[in-house]
Short mmCIF file of all heavy atoms in Angstrom, two decimals:
data_model
loop_
_atom_site.label_atom_id
_atom_site.label_comp_id
_atom_site.label_asym_id
_atom_site.label_seq_id
_atom_site.Cartn_x
_atom_site.Cartn_y
_atom_site.Cartn_z
N ILE A 409 31.26 38.82 0.77
CA ILE A 409 30.97 38.11 -0.48
C ILE A 409 30.50 39.09 -1.51
O ILE A 409 29.49 39.79 -1.34
CB ILE A 409 29.90 37.02 -0.23
CG1 ILE A 409 30.31 36.05 0.88
CG2 ILE A 409 29.64 36.29 -1.56
CD1 ILE A 409 29.13 35.25 1.42
N LYS A 410 31.26 39.19 -2.61
CA LYS A 410 30.96 40.15 -3.68
C LYS A 410 29.95 39.54 -4.66
O LYS A 410 29.78 38.30 -4.73
CB LYS A 410 32.21 40.57 -4.41
CG LYS A 410 33.25 41.26 -3.50
CD LYS A 410 32.73 42.52 -2.92
CE LYS A 410 33.75 43.24 -2.08
NZ LYS A 410 33.26 44.51 -1.46
N LYS A 411 29.35 40.32 -5.52
CA LYS A 411 28.49 39.85 -6.57
C LYS A 411 29.27 38.92 -7.44
O LYS A 411 30.42 39.21 -7.80
CB LYS A 411 27.93 40.97 -7.44
CG LYS A 411 26.96 41.89 -6.75
CD LYS A 411 26.51 43.00 -7.72
CE LYS A 411 25.59 44.02 -7.06
NZ LYS A 411 25.21 45.07 -7.96
N GLY A 412 28.68 37.79 -7.82
CA GLY A 412 29.35 36.84 -8.74
C GLY A 412 30.30 35.91 -8.08
O GLY A 412 30.85 35.01 -8.78
N GLN A 413 30.61 36.05 -6.82
CA GLN A 413 31.51 35.12 -6.11
C GLN A 413 30.78 33.90 -5.70
O GLN A 413 29.69 33.97 -5.06
CB GLN A 413 32.12 35.82 -4.89
CG GLN A 413 33.31 36.74 -5.22
CD GLN A 413 34.03 37.12 -3.91
OE1 GLN A 413 33.49 37.45 -2.90
NE2 GLN A 413 35.38 37.10 -4.03
N LYS A 414 31.34 32.73 -6.00
CA LYS A 414 30.79 31.47 -5.54
C LYS A 414 31.09 31.31 -4.02
O LYS A 414 32.25 31.58 -3.66
CB LYS A 414 31.31 30.33 -6.33
CG LYS A 414 30.92 30.32 -7.80
CD LYS A 414 31.58 29.19 -8.59
CE LYS A 414 31.22 29.24 -10.04
NZ LYS A 414 31.93 28.14 -10.79
N HIS A 415 30.13 30.87 -3.29
CA HIS A 415 30.35 30.75 -1.84
C HIS A 415 29.50 29.71 -1.19
O HIS A 415 28.41 29.39 -1.76
CB HIS A 415 30.11 32.07 -1.15
CG HIS A 415 28.73 32.64 -1.41
ND1 HIS A 415 28.34 33.25 -2.53
CD2 HIS A 415 27.62 32.63 -0.55
CE1 HIS A 415 27.12 33.64 -2.45
NE2 HIS A 415 26.61 33.22 -1.32
N ALA A 416 29.98 29.19 -0.14
CA ALA A 416 29.17 28.16 0.67
C ALA A 416 29.66 28.15 2.05
O ALA A 416 30.80 28.66 2.35
CB ALA A 416 29.30 26.78 0.04
N ILE A 417 28.89 27.59 3.00
CA ILE A 417 29.33 27.47 4.38
C ILE A 417 28.77 26.20 4.94
O ILE A 417 27.56 25.84 4.68
CB ILE A 417 28.93 28.72 5.24
CG1 ILE A 417 29.50 28.60 6.63
CG2 ILE A 417 27.39 28.88 5.25
CD1 ILE A 417 29.46 29.88 7.44
N LYS A 418 29.56 25.48 5.76
CA LYS A 418 29.08 24.30 6.45
C LYS A 418 29.29 24.54 7.95
O LYS A 418 30.34 25.02 8.40
CB LYS A 418 29.94 23.11 5.99
CG LYS A 418 29.51 21.78 6.70
CD LYS A 418 30.28 20.59 6.14
CE LYS A 418 29.84 19.31 6.81
NZ LYS A 418 30.56 18.12 6.31
N ALA A 419 28.30 24.10 8.71
CA ALA A 419 28.39 24.21 10.20
C ALA A 419 29.10 22.97 10.77
O ALA A 419 28.68 21.86 10.56
CB ALA A 419 26.96 24.30 10.75
N LEU A 420 30.19 23.27 11.48
CA LEU A 420 30.86 22.17 12.24
C LEU A 420 30.17 21.96 13.57
O LEU A 420 30.18 20.85 14.14
CB LEU A 420 32.35 22.54 12.43
CG LEU A 420 33.12 22.69 11.12
CD1 LEU A 420 34.57 23.05 11.47
CD2 LEU A 420 33.09 21.46 10.27
#
Side-chain angles (χ1 to χ4, degrees):
I409 304 164
K410 301 298 184 181
K411 290 180 185 178
Q413 281 191 316
K414 297 177 183 178
H415 58 281
I417 186 167
K418 180 177 181 178
L420 299 180

